[in-house]
Amino acid sequence: MAISASNTGGAWDNAKKYIESGKLIVDGVVKKKKSDEHKAAVIGDTVGDPLKDTSGPSLNILIKLSAILSLVFSDFFCRTGFLVEDLDIYN
């Protein structure tokens, strides 16, 4: 959920920046600030900012947990051959 929220928030933020830079062209018309597309992107960015802010700490915990688990269980995986069943380097 946190990865999805982080990506979604970033996409909405980037969409607003893209429109503000003047790169959005619809039917040959450049869409900038004060256009309907920009207003929609601002609403999306308003929703996206809290998503990015709240998902960051949970992703940090997920990354730390994954690192600790890999360190704790690495010896087990090497000794049992759980990850390298066909290789004969640990016997």
Side-chain angles (χ1 to χ4, degrees), residues 10-45:
W12 275 334
D13 186 42
N14 290 341
K16 185 185 78 157
K17 290 177 183 176
Y18 185 78
I19 293 170
E20 289 175 350
S21 70
K23 295 180 181 176
L24 180 65
I25 302 172
V26 178
D27 296 329
V29 178
V30 177
K31 301 292 183 170
K32 292 186 178 182
K33 287 187 176 183
K34 309 253 176 154
S35 67
D36 288 339
E37 290 81 2
H38 182 258
K39 291 175 187 175
V42 168
I43 293 170
D45 185 46

Side-chain angles (χ1 to χ4, degrees), residues 72-84 89-91:
V72 169
F73 288 110
S74 62
D75 186 52
F76 168 76
F77 292 142
C78 289
R79 290 182 188 271
T80 61
F82 184 73
L83 296 176
V84 285
I89 58 176
Y90 293 108
N91 295 329

